[in-house]
Amino acid sequence: STNCMNTCQTCSGGSLQPSMKCVLLCIGRLSVCSKLCYAIGGAPYQITGSALGFFLQIYLLDVAQLDTFYASIILFVGRAWDAVTDPTVGFLVSRSRWTRCGRMMPWILISTPFAVLTYFLIWYVPSVEQWKVLWYLIFYCLFQSLQTCFHVPYSALTMFISMDQKERDSATAYRMTAEVLGSVVGTAIQGQIVGGAITPCLPGNLEVLDNGNTTLLGSDVNISHISLDETKRAYLIASAVICVLYVLCAAVLFLGVREQEGCGRLKTEPMSFFEGMRMVMGYGPYVKLVMGFLFTSLAFMLLEGNFALFISYTMGFRNDFQNILLVIMLSGTLSIPFWQWFLTRFGKKTAVYIGITWAVPFMILIVCIESSLIVAYVVSVAAGVSVAAAFLLPWSMLPDVVDDFKVKNPDSSGHEAIFYSFYVFFTKFASGISLGISTLSLDFAGYVTRGCSQPDAVNLTLKVLVSAAPVVLIFLGLLIFKTYPIDEERRQVSNQDSDTESTELGSVV
């Protein structure tokens, strides 16, 4: 549990040249307790992310009752702003000084209380109508920035808990299991609490106006026995519960994980932001990995962002959508150990091809048949299996690229946070684009706020957003993965070279 540098110097009697025994202490096996504490730290990001991903769009449209155009602006700008802050925070983290708590932990500790506060305010409906758009835009952007200050250091922490690639892969599997479980928890809390106070819809006949918009005739009667105020209160209760869990998970991470300052690596002067960006973005394997996962992640983001609307309106299961979403997350959680075994047994690239494409036939099936609750649950189980692969594989393969980069650039160090932050930057920016475009598409199709049913154009748009578009994006991503050069043989060589570099007795700490 002691700091790696202190351990090395203690083992070597204060010498700057640690012994082989000392270095082995730094790269030794992680305890199960350490892995669990590390994994729990990833849950807040997914708990809040799943709640926002599945419910924010429908919340803005049907509870806050924003126009679809303004909702699309909030979703796009919020995610785009979040994407921009990732490389910025990554750069600042890479230049942070080592403290008694480590280099990553202070970021996590300081950002947590402010992130919790801004998250809660996202789910509050202000009483002044004209301030609604500005309210959600400000607090959504603030939360995304503070969440970045938590997640980028946490992601880079993978490289500082152990120098053994197998231990990092194992810790990543623990982390992915906890994160998918966090998605289950976030979906369950938000879905079950809000599901007990489903947003009341307005009945009536749909009529297309001369300007192309759709309105409701005879919509002055609310067929729900639950008021809109009760629905608003349910969202606040759910957000409060999630805030408590966020703080608890951050505390477990802070108290249960100790960073290990790199042993056996030369410490160089930190590069500027643009020099670091030029270096990592000029590295071919990293670019191909990021672009491949960019398309596949975008596919699942489209599915996630529009699935609640699709289930509620196109399939007509308004009272069951929260349970269907929960099944997806539960299936993903149970599938993580399988995919960890699969990538270990058959290789990571093979796991990408099989794991990501698994959901394709089910995406096609759900839009080709008549509405069936049984089929919806079957598709949810199958989609969860692919969601697990999409969760696990990027974070399992990124350390391979970082190790490969270090072998090719032995004189460069301290860029782990930049590697991770730029990956998150591209995925979040793509998420913002997907949410903005999908919400605008619903606007053009004539989405009716709080309507119990939607026009045929809206239902067709939702089918495209949860099926056709994700399938095309998945195949584009897999085509890029064909050019990804780090196979199992090269990965083993990079790991061996990286370990050899770490154990050289003449290195300066």
Side-chain angles (χ1 to χ4, degrees), residues 279-287 401 404-405 408-409 419 490:
M279 176 171 289
V280 299
M281 295 308 299
Y283 192 59
Y286 177 75
V287 173
V401 175
D404 193 75
F405 175 84
K408 299 295 190 298
N409 300 271
F419 273 102
R490 177 168 170 176

Side-chain angles (χ1 to χ4, degrees), residues 47 50 180-191 242 245 326 329:
I47 291 174
S50 62
V180 177
L181 185 58
S183 297
V184 173
V185 172
T187 306
I189 293 173
Q190 194 82 7
I242 288 175
L245 290 177
L326 183 58
M329 295 295 101

